[in-house]
Amino acid sequence: MAQPGLEKKTSTKVEDQSSLKGTLASVFLLGFFLIITWVGVFLLFVNRF
Amino acid sequence: MHIHKFEKIWLIFGVTTLLVFLSVIGVSAFYLGNQPPSCLATINPEKVDTTAPFDKPGLNKVEGKEWDYELVYVASAFNYTPGEVEVPLGAKVKVLATTKDVVHGFNVAGTNINMMLEPGYISEYVTTFDKAGEYLIVCNEYCGAGHHMMSSMIKVVE
Amino acid sequence: MNSFVEKIKKVDSRDAKLGMAHFYVAFIGLFIGGMAGLLQTLVRSGQFTLPAGIGYYQLLTLHGVVLALVMTTYFIMGFQLVSVSRTAGTLTNKQRNTGWVGFWLMTIGTVMAAVMILLNEASVLYTFYAPLQAHALFYVGLTLVIVGSWVSGSAIIMAYVAWRRKNPGQPSPLLTFMSLVNTLMWIVATIGVATTVLFQLLPWSLGLVERVDVAISRTLFWYFGHPLVYFWLLPAYMAWYVIVPKIIGGKIFSDSLARLSFILFLLFSIPVGFHHQLMEPGIDPAWKFLQVVLTFMVIIPSLMTAFSLFATFETFGRSKGATGLFGWLKKLPWGDARFLIPFIGMLSFIPGGAGGIINASNQMNQVIHNTIWVTGHFHLTVATAVILTFFGISYWLIPHLTGRTLTKAMNKLAILQGVLWAIGMTFMSGAMHFAGLLGAPRRSAYSEYGGAAQAAEWVPYQIAQAVGGSILFIAIILVLYIFINLAFFAPKGEEEFPVGEAANTTEKAPMILENWKLWLGLVVLLIAFAYTIPFIDLIENAPIGSKGYKLW
């Protein structure tokens, strides 16, 4: 029973120490880049015969 | 294993995006009929010239089919037969091609007609030629010393 | 575990020698392959013809075989062997000798294949698609390269097993774990290419059988061909996950997630070969689409990796007092080539990955298949993301192994090299992507295609490729200059082999991640699921086989 308690403590510690706002913003920029390029080529596919 | 809240958000967003991509191409392929060329028919590569429809390369009008014309190509190192063809604008065409020797490519530049020709197999693709212009066919799979000389021309005319 | 790793900071000199042997071959390969690449871009610009009867496709075969098969495999085997030696302890004599046997087998094979290419007996490109038929010794050479890599790989497996036996119940050192995953993936994947070479192409080229089944040979090749690219990528990921955090002075974001992403690569990088065969006849479109779905699964561990790397950088920057959304970027050690060069590699993997998703998107492949877009794509992934990371590794690993140091002057030169690479590749790969969308074919010498208007549109892009290729070749000369300096002339000293520690040292990696019966079992199941029925179809409906052709 001591084990789950220990895990809980460590996970709060990690969350508190680090703000990962910039990481979240960065990966979302990456995600939008993936979407834009994919949609671009998909439109090319749709418009060609 | 601990996963940060932001990483969960990112992975949910990422996986959802991938699922959307797959759904779009899946619906387009299986319901709208935009499958990549995947013909399962085989042929004896040494008897291509005497096997229909490859005994009559070129644009052939057909009746009673879903398409108006069949455009038949025979590829061999390092040329396509026919070397030039005129297709009426707006025609629905089934493009059929095969090779007599090694693997060749068959890409009508600037279009979605792009398929591999492999000895023993027929490749086909159905499409409507709805934009006028001159389209170069290039071999885009290495086939030997003259690979870059291997081409043909489709003129889509009114 | 951590105290154990700390004790052995230096790679044993006997293991270092084994590693260096691999790196000498890899960098000789870089010179030859890079030279071939430069000449190819010049030919394609239309302004240059090859002297002395050298064929364009002979050169292209050399470029592909020497860089994609030889240089990468040697670098990876050398890097993985010394990583295991560094993190799991000095190799035993038996393990090291096994590594040497693997090295010499690969080298004999490489020389055989190279001689056949130079004699113009094997201008079949590195994919050697039947029924183009190379000299039998070319196939024998490639077989020896693969068998040699299996022998080297078994040294890694032996070292891993020995470590686990000595440390029961403990997760293995991260770099050792990752080296093992990549080795296992390589062995499972190369079974495909070994099968087609040994049972189809070799007997056929020797005249023992007259005909070869082309579709089956290609399918076996691509069963190997896609995990091949992950075999290149995973050592770069090893550096990104484990080594770069230490170089910047930060921590590994999560040891367990790094392991999990490697396990996902092991599972999903093999049953996906059909996404290279989307335009081929003879394969049912439903099976193609199934492998497209599996291909999309292998994107997930890369999404995880992107998050982990940004998080490592941000956590480090904030620990140095960075504020704001992107303030942490300023805290990164931009003047350190060991960081900057792999970082440029990471950035290039963003457009590289985006292109990869497009390529794998089933019918969308029709837009780009076998156009020069594909060449542009893998020059971002393997020839920038992976290779720049390998260069970044070399800049500390070579002096570490030779007992020398990376001087400030060499560090500056290395940064110049990385910047030149980024510029050259932007020109070359960018132009390739755009020309490919217009339909320009890959793997083709300069041609005006009978004066066709479309072909004329491609020429400006081809000139841009030659400009990029020339800049890249200058960068290669710099790499070789730095390599020679670090191997033979740099001042004697101690260069660190950086191995990062996890941010959270109390979190032990779940032992299920080291349960190989489970993971290899799943690998086999996934491969059987994705390939059994299509293979039966190919065999049952097979047309008459093909005789060999030598059309060059």
Side-chain angles (χ1 to χ4, degrees):
Chain A
M1 287 310 283
Q3 204 62 12
L6 189 76
E7 271 182 14
K8 209 173 167 189
K9 221 161 115 195
T10 19
S11 62
T12 31
K13 197 182 96 197
V14 172
E15 302 248 302
D16 289 346
Q17 264 185 353
S18 55
S19 160
L20 294 179
K21 293 183 299 209
T23 301
L24 191 68
S26 307
V27 288
F28 267 81
L29 285 175
L30 187 159
F32 293 135
F33 178 76
L34 298 182
I35 293 172
I36 291 166
T37 50
W38 191 88
V39 169
V41 176
F42 182 73
L43 291 177
L44 214 50
F45 173 79
V46 169
N47 285 318
R48 287 177 171 185
F49 65 78
Chain B
M1 209 178 313
H2 170 73
I3 301 185
H4 192 281
K5 193 177 131 204
F6 285 177
E7 181 159 13
K8 284 183 192 152
I9 296 174
W10 162 239
L11 286 178
I12 290 168
F13 173 80
V15 171
T16 309
T17 305
L18 296 179
L19 285 174
V20 170
F21 288 177
L22 281 175
S23 308
V24 170
I25 55 178
V27 168
S28 166
F30 290 90
Y31 292 95
L32 304 177
N34 295 318
Q35 292 282 14
S38 308
C39 180
L40 301 174
T42 57
I43 185 173
N44 184 335
E46 285 155 19
K47 295 182 181 153
V48 168
D49 290 332
T50 52
T51 310
F54 298 99
D55 52 348
K56 279 188 218 139
L59 189 70
N60 305 318
K61 182 101 177 112
V62 292
E63 302 291 339
K65 294 192 175 168
E66 275 177 59
W67 43 89
D68 313 316
Y69 295 92
E70 289 183 348
L71 180 51
V72 180
Y73 282 95
V74 176
S76 62
F78 302 102
N79 57 67
Y80 298 101
T81 314
E84 189 179 316
V85 100
E86 283 195 0
V87 177
L89 181 67
K92 192 170 182 188
V93 178
K94 181 182 206 173
V95 183
L96 293 121
T98 193
T99 166
K100 294 205 278 188
D101 42 42
V102 295
V103 177
H104 294 284
F106 186 95
N107 183 16
V108 184
T111 78
N112 293 332
I113 308 168
N114 192 353
M115 49 200 188
M116 302 295 299
L117 312 183
E118 292 176 18
Y121 289 89
I122 296 169
S123 296
E124 59 179 43
Y125 191 72
V126 180
T127 191
T128 303
F129 285 64
D130 57 10
K131 287 182 193 70
E134 293 191 357
Y135 296 91
L136 175 68
I137 304 175
V138 290
C139 177
N140 61 7
E141 183 58 85
Y142 171 63
C143 56
H147 162 56
H148 54 288
M149 311 306 287
M150 186 166 166
S151 67
S152 180
M153 182 67 84
I154 296 179
K155 292 182 175 167
V156 181
V157 291
E158 306 242 5
Chain C
M1 188 191 91
N2 287 316
S3 60
F4 176 76
V5 172
E6 286 308 305
K7 261 187 283 173
I8 37 159
K9 279 201 161 158
K10 189 131 181 74
V11 172
D12 181 272
S13 62
R14 291 161 300 171
D15 295 347
K17 222 176 136 190
L18 176 61
M20 283 306 293
H22 286 83
F23 298 137
Y24 291 132
V25 181
F27 282 86
I28 293 169
L30 175 70
F31 176 69
I32 298 170
M35 180 77 101
L38 171 70
L39 294 174
Q40 285 157 232
T41 62
L42 294 179
V43 168
R44 258 196 112 145
S45 74
Q47 310 292 318
F48 176 81
T49 21
L50 289 169
I54 304 169
Y56 178 84
Y57 300 106
Q58 185 182 13
L59 210 56
L60 184 53
T61 306
L62 191 69
H63 180 76
V65 170
V66 165
L67 291 180
L69 298 180
V70 173
M71 189 234 170
T72 47
T73 308
Y74 274 88
F75 188 92
I76 291 165
M77 285 300 165
F79 174 55
Q80 292 185 161
L81 283 166
V82 296
S83 292
V84 169
S85 166
R86 164 75 169 78
T87 56
T90 302
L91 301 178
T92 63
N93 287 337
K94 192 180 157 202
Q95 291 160 7
R96 191 179 311 109
N97 289 339
T98 308
W100 278 113
V101 172
F103 171 82
W104 283 112
L105 281 173
M106 295 202 320
T107 306
I108 295 166
T110 299
V111 170
M112 283 167 80
V115 168
M116 287 302 119
I117 295 169
L118 294 176
L119 292 175
N120 202 24
E121 291 290 339
S123 295
V124 291
L125 309 193
Y126 96 93
T127 44
F128 48 87
Y129 293 139
L132 286 173
Q133 190 183 55
H135 195 285
L137 286 180
F138 176 76
Y139 300 118
V140 174
L142 291 183
T143 306
L144 284 176
V145 172
I146 285 163
V147 172
S149 74
W150 289 346
V151 175
S152 292
S154 67
I156 288 169
I157 296 173
M158 286 192 280
Y160 171 84
V161 170
W163 191 94
R164 284 291 303 282
R165 209 166 279 151
K166 255 188 270 166
N167 302 270
Q170 291 294 320
S172 54
L174 190 50
L175 276 182
T176 298
F177 175 90
M178 292 170 152
S179 300
L180 178 79
V181 169
N182 203 27
T183 303
L184 293 176
M185 188 190 72
W186 176 249
I187 291 171
V188 177
T190 42
I191 290 170
V193 69
T195 305
T196 182
V197 170
L198 282 178
F199 294 102
Q200 292 189 285
L201 304 180
L202 192 54
W204 172 66
S205 66
L206 286 169
L208 300 176
V209 294
E210 194 189 13
R211 291 170 188 272
V212 69
D213 187 314
V214 172
I216 287 175
S217 174
R218 293 172 68 84
T219 304
L220 286 168
F221 181 87
W222 283 114
Y223 162 96
F224 152 81
H226 198 72
L228 170 68
V229 311
Y230 283 102
F231 174 69
W232 300 332
L233 184 65
L234 290 193
Y237 273 28
M238 284 163 69
W240 297 356
Y241 267 117
V242 187
I243 288 161
V244 168
K246 175 77 174 179
I247 289 172
I248 65 172
K251 300 278 187 193
I252 298 168
F253 177 64
S254 165
D255 175 283
S256 307
L257 286 174
R259 289 173 200 258
L260 176 64
S261 80
F262 268 61
I263 291 292
L264 291 174
F265 279 119
L266 175 66
L267 295 180
F268 292 108
S269 53
I270 302 169
V272 298
F274 281 176
H275 75 241
H276 292 260
Q277 298 178 279
L278 289 168
M279 300 300 108
E280 291 190 21
I283 303 170
D284 189 278
W287 287 105
K288 288 180 179 173
F289 192 75
L290 178 101
Q291 292 207 8
V292 165
V293 174
L294 290 172
T295 308
F296 273 55
M297 301 287 288
V298 85
I299 299 165
I300 296 169
S302 281
L303 297 180
M304 291 166 58
T305 304
F307 189 93
S308 288
L309 300 177
F310 282 122
T312 295
F313 297 149
E314 179 167 14
T315 310
F316 167 74
R318 291 202 187 276
S319 76
K320 296 282 170 210
T323 52
L325 197 54
F326 293 112
W328 44 276
L329 278 171
K330 283 183 220 141
K331 303 285 180 187
L332 296 172
W334 299 108
D336 186 341
R338 300 173 308 158
F339 162 74
L340 179 69
I341 310 302
F343 184 83
I344 297 172
M346 293 175 194
L347 284 187
S348 76
F349 203 63
I350 296 173
I357 299 176
I358 291 165
N359 301 345
S361 292
N362 208 44
Q363 67 271 33
M364 279 164 68
N365 188 257
Q366 286 165 232
V367 178
I368 53 83
H369 177 73
N370 271 356
T371 69
I372 202 163
W373 157 290
V374 178
T375 318
H377 163 70
F378 65 72
H379 278 81
L380 285 180
T381 53
V382 65
T384 306
V386 171
I387 282 298
L388 281 187
T389 304
F390 288 0
F391 294 161
I393 291 169
S394 305
Y395 295 151
W396 52 261
L397 182 55
I398 303 300
H400 177 89
L401 298 178
T402 54
R404 298 175 189 275
T405 54
L406 177 70
T407 59
K408 281 210 170 99
M410 282 301 136
N411 182 63
K412 262 192 187 157
L413 216 52
I415 287 174
L416 175 66
Q417 175 268 313
V419 172
L420 280 178
W421 199 281
I423 296 169
M425 195 55 83
T426 304
F427 273 100
M428 192 178 89
S429 173
M432 286 174 165
H433 276 89
F434 286 109
L437 289 177
L438 297 174
R442 68 187 284 202
R443 299 181 145 180
S444 299
Y446 180 75
S447 173
E448 289 169 0
Y449 291 104
Q454 279 176 309
E457 283 175 29
W458 305 334
V459 173
Y461 294 101
Q462 286 160 199
I463 290 170
Q465 289 159 29
V467 171
S470 306
I471 298 171
L472 285 165
F473 190 71
I474 297 170
I476 287 179
I477 297 294
L478 284 179
V479 175
L480 293 168
Y481 178 76
I482 300 166
F483 175 80
I484 292 168
N485 175 276
L486 294 175
F488 303 108
F489 302 108
K492 296 268 180 197
E494 296 266 315
E495 186 71 45
E496 184 197 8
F497 187 139
V499 178
E501 279 178 38
N504 182 354
T505 45
T506 52
E507 187 191 56
K508 195 180 123 180
M511 286 310 288
I512 192 171
L513 293 171
E514 315 234 5
N515 185 339
W516 303 109
K517 273 185 202 141
L518 172 68
W519 303 123
L520 288 176
L522 280 174
V523 166
V524 172
L525 276 180
L526 279 166
I527 293 169
F529 172 53
Y531 271 111
T532 307
I533 294 177
F535 255 115
I536 292 173
D537 283 346
L538 281 172
I539 293 167
E540 281 190 340
N541 305 320
I544 183 173
S546 286
K547 294 178 185 172
Y549 290 86
K550 189 177 177 231
L551 295 174
W552 63 86

